[in-house]
Structure formats: structure tokens, C-alpha cells
Amino acid sequence: MSVYEINTAKDCVYGNSYVGRGIMIGKTGDGKKAVFAYFIMGRSANSRNRIFSEAENGEVIIYPYDYSKVEDPSLIIYSPVKVWENKIIVTNGDQTDTIYDFVKAGKSFEDALDTRCFEPDAPNWTPRISGMITLGENDFTYKMSILKSADAEGTACNRYTYSYPSLCGLGHFIHTYQHDGNPIPTFCGEPERVKIPDSIDDFVSEIWENLDADNKISIYARYIDIATGECENRMINKYSK
């Protein structure tokens, strides 16, 4: 298999019962849109008790579906998406706020994540995955990161950052877990290459319909017109009000 092979979103998630939380970032085949998608899955009742909501400022917020059933909100309630000027931040935890505060202060994506670590949920030590799109006049670049435990005991944090130019039809996919397990195996290797279709509906449906039906919870995607800045969004919650 060529290292330059590009899989479809279906290829990346179908048949894997638990990829966890995932971020896809890339550029449409026609070269007109910057794209990202973020989805969450859950095995426990606490993890499954969530819905996405979008604010007018472009922020996406996770709320409990049923507040009476919340057990521990610390690792499941956060803003996965925030926007600062020409930067769009998407993560799987409250490091969204850390990155936002740092770039707002003129510091870097890497500077922000140097202050953070994997999640303290032994024995899984769930990785923190993050992405950031930086829009320019006629194009964009993007970065992805994963912070994960260096060993089974959680004694140290390994930090990996990947920087990408935007290429037509190409995106990258990073997720928290390799597959289901106990403990759950952490994602390994570089972000996977994934095809980005021109249609947001095709993109969202391809991901959502091929995620495990029992464990998928919510998905949010945004297509940003590079020339005009206009956005098109889609959101699906398995449990809706």
C-alpha cells in the first residue's frame, strides 16, 4: 500500500466499534473550502449523556442531554470548537480554551499544548487530540496534535504535532483510540489520510452512517469558503431535545 493512498471516511471508521473521539481537517476537492469535522462516541452512560449545541459566534458546546444523570462532568463537558480571528480551533477537551487563550495572546498552538497533558482517566489515559486551521487570503494551513501517555502507568506525556499545507481533496484524521478494549488502546502513528468531498452532506453522512451505531453520540462539521469566509455547518445528535 502506498504511503500516499487516501482512504474514504468510511474506510477510516467502518467496522471499528470504538475509535473514540475524532477530528478530520482538510480541503475539498474543488479547492474552495476548508473543512473540519468532530465526532464523539461513548461507552458509559456518563459519556453517552451528551449533545452538541452551536452558538452564534461559531463556538460549539457540549451539554448533558439529561442533567439529572450527570456523574462526572470534568472530562465530558467542554467546548470542542472555538474561533479567534482567522483561526479555528477544534479539540476533544478543555484544551480548546487553552489554545484559544494562547493564540489570542499571540502565542502558538504548540506553546499552548506544552502546558497540557493526556486525560487523567487511568487506566485508559485518553489522549488529548487537537487541531487548528489558520485561514489566509486565498488558502489555509492546519495543524494537528496528540498528547498521550508514555507508558501504562501514566508517568510522562509524549507530545506530537503535525503541520500541513492544504491540498485539494485531502484531509487528515486523528482519533483517540485504535479500537475498543480494556484498557482502550491509544491511537498510534501519524494522522490518517482521508478524502474530503465537495459536499458537506456527503461528508457528514459518510462518517455518521459508518460509525458504530451503539457507541456514536454526536457529530459536527463545518465547510468554510476560503474566498468569502462564509460557513456551512451540519450537526447530528443521537439524543436530541
Side-chain angles (χ1 to χ4, degrees):
M1 182 178 71
S2 168
V3 295
Y4 300 111
E5 182 175 338
I6 308 176
N7 291 320
T8 64
K10 177 181 179 180
D11 294 331
C12 292
V13 301
Y14 180 76
N16 188 336
S17 64
Y18 205 57
V19 293
R21 288 165 270 175
I23 299 170
M24 294 186 188
I25 301 177
K27 190 178 193 178
T28 53
D30 61 15
K32 296 179 179 180
K33 308 285 178 60
V35 171
F36 76 83
Y38 178 63
F39 66 80
I40 60 173
M41 304 179 77
R43 300 190 308 174
S44 69
N46 193 48
S47 292
R48 291 178 175 182
N49 184 33
R50 294 187 284 177
I51 57 172
F52 286 0
S53 178
E54 184 180 16
E56 290 183 1
N57 63 358
E59 181 178 355
V60 177
I61 306 166
I62 297 177
Y63 290 105
Y65 171 64
D66 184 342
Y67 280 85
S68 70
K69 296 181 179 179
V70 174
E71 298 170 10
D72 177 8
S74 62
L75 294 177
I76 64 166
I77 306 302
Y78 55 91
S79 295
V81 179
K82 283 193 170 185
V83 178
W84 171 251
E85 295 182 338
N86 67 328
K87 299 183 186 300
I88 303 160
I89 302 157
V90 53
T91 89
N92 74 325
D94 63 11
Q95 72 269 27
T96 308
D97 298 331
T98 307
I99 299 168
Y100 179 87
D101 291 342
F102 269 66
V103 298
K104 188 175 179 180
K107 299 178 182 180
S108 71
F109 181 76
E110 292 86 349
D111 288 339
L113 292 169
D114 278 346
T115 70
R116 300 305 305 266
C117 193
F118 50 86
E119 295 181 0
D121 61 339
N124 296 316
W125 308 121
T126 297
R128 292 190 186 273
I129 55 172
S130 307
M132 185 172 75
I133 297 171
T134 301
L135 296 165
E137 285 189 15
N138 299 303
D139 211 346
F140 68 96
T141 58
Y142 59 100
K143 295 182 178 184
M144 304 186 94
S145 165
I146 184 167
L147 312 179
K148 58 184 182 177
S149 180
D151 57 26
E153 290 73 38
T155 59
C157 182
N158 291 340
R159 295 177 171 86
Y160 304 88
T161 301
Y162 305 88
S163 299
Y164 300 105
S166 62
L167 298 176
C168 295
L170 174 64
H172 290 87
F173 174 37
I174 195 165
H175 45 100
T176 52
Y177 308 123
Q178 289 288 92
H179 50 74
D180 206 347
N182 189 22
I184 318 172
T186 293
F187 176 87
C188 294
E190 294 184 14
E192 300 164 16
R193 292 162 61 88
V194 61
K195 293 180 181 179
I196 305 293
D198 293 342
S199 164
I200 188 171
D201 290 316
D202 290 347
F203 187 48
V204 171
S205 64
E206 185 176 14
I207 301 169
W208 184 251
E209 290 173 9
N210 289 291
L211 287 170
D212 183 80
D214 291 333
N215 293 325
K216 65 184 179 183
I217 304 300
S218 297
I219 186 171
Y220 179 91
R222 184 177 299 171
Y223 274 43
I224 306 104
D225 190 293
I226 299 167
T228 67
E230 293 183 4
C231 296
E232 189 176 10
N233 306 324
R234 296 290 185 274
M235 181 171 64
I236 301 173
N237 286 310
K238 184 175 183 179
Y239 309 110
S240 57
K241 296 291 186 182

